[in-house]
Amino acid sequence: MLSHTLRRCAAGTMALALTALSATSLAAPASASTEQAPADESTMRIATSGQVDNFNPFTSIYLTPTAINRYVYENLVQYDAKDFGPTEGLAESWDTSDDGKEWTYKIREGMKWSDDEPITADDVVYTYTQMMEDPAMGAANGSLVQNFDSVEATDEHTVAITLKEPQAPNPGVEIPIVPEHIWSAKDDPAGDDNDTEVVGSGPYTLESYEANQSITLKANPNFWRGAPKVDTIQYAYYTNSDAQVQALRAGDVDFVTGLSPEQLKALEGADNVETNIGESRRFTALGLNSGAETPEGEAYGTGAEALKDVKVRQALRLGIDMDTLREQVMQDYATEATSFVPESFEKWHLPKSDKIVKSDPEAAKKLLDEAGWTEGSDGIREKDGEKLSLRLLTDAQTPTEQTIGEFLTPWMKDIGVELKVESSDSDTISDRTTAGDYDMYITGWSVTPDPEFQLSINTCASRPDAEGNGPTSQDGYCSEAFDELYSKQHTELDESKRVEYVHQALQQHYDDVAQITLWYPNQLEAFRSDRFTGFTTQPTDGGVIGNQSGYWGFLSAEPAAEADAGDGEGGLSPIVWVGIGIAVLAGAIGIPLALRRRKSDDRA
């Protein structure tokens, strides 16, 4: 629906792009669609392609702008680079009452916005109150404040959040805090694109944006951790991922993420290029239209009636040879999936068990028999005079999606399902999925370290209306059983019990086949080691530079010339707290990384 389709463009297409690319084809230099800036020592150039909805932290649901906002606006509480644990943001400390309903945050004194105005508790109260009182301002993260009863500033540097009921997740994570003195003066804050005269509190501020051309960020000297060593980050728009790789080899850009396996291998050993293979926080899936409905239960869209039957959905999954698909499309750079929480978050990830089925075409046929679909003379099943024919939307510019369609078509035919692959552009796919005008499409998200948000957008209350307005939904999924488990994990303060409830909720989602999760992709990245060094991965051990839950990837980066002068060793930084979420660079302009955040993260 709205959000998951939007994130799709921001994260999936690029993050998963599989392009048959040879080292020879990469040798020729590529040119961007916009003029390249001079290679200033302190200007990092990032290749990107795609779109941006806006840079409004209250409403943006594309992967790239939400990722950019991670380092334009500080949260109360950050996820650290070492292991995703909670760490300081605007708040230097926090505590909770014995009953779990009162959270008190101490705001660090002396911090300033990028326009030199002081950051106070009133900015936090303003941000949260807008989301609580105005549904339009809660479009991106409204589900995170549904349990809030009140937010108040007890003094200039103290924020008290009172909850309706106890909750396990820290209320201070994931929500960008905005400056009240700027946003309260806007005529229409929910409708503001926030792409000019931006005032922030993070490592960088947004200096300029030209749609489909460039995004420029400038270091914020007022950032409380200290200004980053890279003064400027420029995103240059390229029409396809092959051109981005060529530009990296030619030295026209300094960083590329979302590489395909072929592209990564072609870059290995290239002069002055260093690669990084990280365990990402993403999943890739087939989104299924099992019956699009508004929050009031009013049906809309053109989804196939057959997909409303859970036996049909279960049969589709059984008909897919997951291991072969993953190995052929992603080679050695993806792992088996069980749910929408990646295995990079081991505690919350749904473990493999006998409840996670393997490919079994015969079992799939039996389920379709039970559902009343009988084989026709052409091998395609029929019921009440209708053929079992489904549409799969794929992005014409993403070879990965085309390859998936090529594998799925004969597998579906083998169990009696006609699959019609409809290739289009990412904007059209977003529009169609928002309107419920699809049966299946390829999607995926970037998941945050605490599963609260991703679970919340699978609840009935998180469904948008027929125009895509309102909350964010992952699949338009609605299940009373899932909602009950979501509520239990949300309020369970005993972590071991909460983990159990989360696993039960994920299993419920799996059993209902709200989507068919295909794999967890590695994030494949490369950068010019002769230009920049000192990047920080998240997590520190085997993590990623881009698409982080935070702003660590670039914060520690520095020009290679400066590092050499200081006897730096280059490459990736061992420092845990440095680096700005480079997820942004993966999409600076909205680069379809499967999925935007929300066809995301992604959420980024």
Side-chain angles (χ1 to χ4, degrees):
M1 313 296 204
L2 176 64
S3 68
H4 83 266
T5 58
L6 292 179
R7 286 269 167 142
R8 176 185 182 289
C9 281
T13 52
M14 195 57 212
L16 298 177
L18 172 66
T19 306
L21 185 68
S22 68
T24 301
S25 67
L26 287 173
S31 58
S33 60
T34 56
E35 184 178 351
Q36 291 296 304
D40 180 87
E41 286 187 358
S42 193
T43 296
M44 183 180 295
R45 303 155 303 168
I46 297 169
T48 188
S49 63
Q51 318 101 4
V52 165
D53 51 352
N54 60 67
F55 292 94
N56 187 326
F58 293 102
T59 63
S60 176
I61 57 178
Y62 277 44
L63 178 65
T64 293
T66 54
I68 287 178
N69 282 337
R70 286 184 181 276
Y71 52 91
V72 173
Y73 300 101
E74 178 69 279
N75 302 332
L76 271 178
V77 179
Q78 275 292 345
Y79 293 115
D80 73 22
K82 182 178 180 181
D83 59 7
F84 300 109
T87 191
E88 297 175 71
L90 293 182
E92 60 183 358
S93 65
W94 54 91
D95 57 59
T96 61
S97 60
D98 291 340
D99 64 3
K101 289 186 177 182
E102 303 285 342
W103 289 72
T104 303
Y105 297 86
K106 299 299 294 184
I107 307 301
R108 183 179 297 97
E109 297 186 21
M111 294 185 296
K112 294 181 179 181
W113 294 101
S114 57
D115 65 355
D116 293 329
E117 289 294 315
I119 299 173
T120 70
D122 289 335
D123 297 307
V124 180
V125 173
Y126 172 81
T127 300
Y128 280 88
T129 300
Q130 296 307 300
M131 297 169 60
M132 294 166 62
E133 296 181 351
D134 185 351
M137 296 287 273
N141 295 302
S143 64
L144 298 178
V145 299
Q146 288 180 352
N147 188 36
F148 283 31
D149 184 54
S150 66
V151 181
E152 61 178 330
T154 57
D155 62 45
E156 189 177 4
H157 297 100
T158 307
V159 174
I161 298 177
T162 301
L163 305 176
K164 298 174 185 176
E165 56 185 3
Q167 72 175 49
N170 190 316
V173 300
E174 284 303 309
I175 296 176
I177 304 303
V178 304
E180 180 183 16
H181 68 283
I182 296 295
W183 285 82
S184 62
K186 294 179 182 288
D187 294 333
D188 178 18
D192 194 298
D193 287 344
N194 193 41
D195 56 11
T196 60
E197 300 181 0
V198 177
V199 174
S201 57
Y204 287 87
T205 56
L206 176 64
E207 181 178 70
S208 65
Y209 166 61
E210 296 182 57
N212 298 323
Q213 295 186 50
S214 65
I215 299 174
T216 301
L217 308 179
K218 284 291 186 181
N220 175 15
N222 291 342
F223 182 48
W224 71 271
R225 292 184 187 271
K229 295 180 180 179
V230 175
D231 294 335
T232 304
I233 296 177
Q234 292 180 337
Y235 298 91
Y237 183 83
Y238 284 77
T239 56
N240 63 66
S241 60
D242 289 353
Q244 295 180 21
V245 175
Q246 293 174 33
L248 184 74
R249 291 175 65 97
D252 293 330
V253 298
D254 304 309
F255 192 99
V256 176
T257 191
L259 297 169
S260 72
E262 284 79 9
Q263 291 168 337
L264 181 81
K265 291 175 181 177
L267 285 172
E268 291 176 346
D271 292 342
N272 299 316
V273 172
E274 187 169 332
T275 60
N276 181 58
I277 302 171
E279 185 177 43
S280 78
R281 58 189 181 95
R282 297 196 61 76
F283 68 83
T284 301
L286 287 177
L288 306 180
N289 186 353
S290 56
E293 292 183 350
T294 66
E296 294 73 33
E298 181 180 350
Y300 65 92
T302 63
E305 188 73 20
L307 288 177
K308 294 181 180 180
D309 189 334
V310 67
K311 289 187 176 181
V312 173
R313 302 196 300 272
Q314 291 172 341
L316 296 179
R317 181 165 57 201
L318 285 167
I320 299 173
D321 186 340
M322 296 291 188
D323 291 341
T324 296
L325 185 66
R326 184 179 67 255
E327 291 165 3
Q328 291 296 315
V329 176
M330 296 302 293
Q331 300 177 35
D332 297 325
Y333 301 109
T335 56
E336 181 180 356
T338 60
S339 71
F340 58 73
V341 175
E343 61 186 358
S344 53
F345 305 127
E346 183 178 2
K347 176 169 56 180
W348 307 112
H349 170 68
L350 181 65
K352 298 180 180 68
S353 69
D354 56 6
K355 295 180 180 180
I356 306 300
V357 301
K358 291 290 187 180
S359 174
D360 191 339
E362 293 306 313
K365 294 175 184 178
K366 183 177 180 181
L367 280 173
L368 293 175
D369 288 338
E370 294 174 0
W373 291 93
T374 58
E375 187 173 330
S377 58
D378 59 356
I380 303 302
R381 292 174 179 268
E382 300 176 350
K383 182 179 180 180
D384 299 330
E386 296 290 333
K387 286 184 176 292
L388 185 47
S389 180
L390 303 174
R391 301 162 294 170
L392 172 64
L393 302 184
T394 63
D395 191 324
Q397 297 300 314
T398 306
T400 299
E401 299 196 11
Q402 301 303 307
T403 304
I404 290 174
E406 291 171 2
F407 276 95
L408 292 186
T409 300
W411 289 341
M412 291 298 98
K413 185 176 182 180
D414 184 51
I415 64 173
V417 178
E418 180 183 47
L419 188 64
K420 296 180 178 179
V421 178
E422 300 180 0
S423 294
S424 186
D425 61 274
S426 59
D427 280 341
T428 299
I429 293 173
S430 289
D431 292 342
R432 290 185 59 179
T433 52
T434 297
D437 181 21
Y438 73 103
D439 297 325
M440 305 165 62
Y441 84 112
I442 300 164
T443 184
W445 292 58
S446 291
V447 180
T448 53
D450 189 292
E452 169 68 17
F453 178 81
Q454 209 69 27
L455 290 166
S456 75
I457 61 173
N458 279 280
T459 61
C460 297
S462 199
R463 293 173 295 172
D465 63 23
E467 284 72 46
N469 301 314
T472 291
S473 177
Q474 178 176 295
D475 297 298
Y477 176 60
C478 179
S479 162
E480 291 183 4
F482 180 92
D483 282 7
E484 182 178 353
L485 290 166
Y486 165 75
S487 296
K488 287 182 177 180
Q489 70 81 33
H490 179 77
T491 59
E492 182 53 68
L493 302 183
D494 183 314
E495 187 174 87
S496 62
K497 292 181 179 179
R498 185 185 176 215
V499 168
E500 184 177 347
Y501 286 137
V502 169
H503 288 173
Q504 290 176 17
L506 294 176
Q507 187 67 54
Q508 182 69 53
H509 188 272
Y510 181 90
D511 293 342
D512 289 341
V513 199
Q515 66 177 30
I516 299 175
T517 315
L518 300 177
W519 55 65
Y520 304 131
N522 289 137
Q523 187 160 304
L524 311 181
E525 310 168 304
F527 60 90
R528 294 287 305 196
S529 56
D530 59 333
R531 291 267 298 148
F532 293 96
T533 187
F535 299 97
T536 291
T537 58
Q538 185 189 42
T540 305
D541 184 13
V544 301
I545 301 171
N547 200 18
Q548 298 182 350
S549 290
Y551 45 55
W552 310 109
F554 288 158
L555 187 55
S556 59
E558 62 179 320
E562 293 182 12
D564 291 341
D567 294 324
E569 296 181 2
L572 301 177
S573 170
I575 302 174
V576 169
W577 63 269
V578 297
I580 217 175
I582 209 167
V584 86
L585 63 92
I589 297 204
I591 190 170
L593 280 161
L595 322 183
R596 298 182 180 193
R597 175 180 192 241
R598 303 193 129 45
K599 208 182 187 178
S600 249
D601 150 12
D602 238 265
R603 188 188 182 98

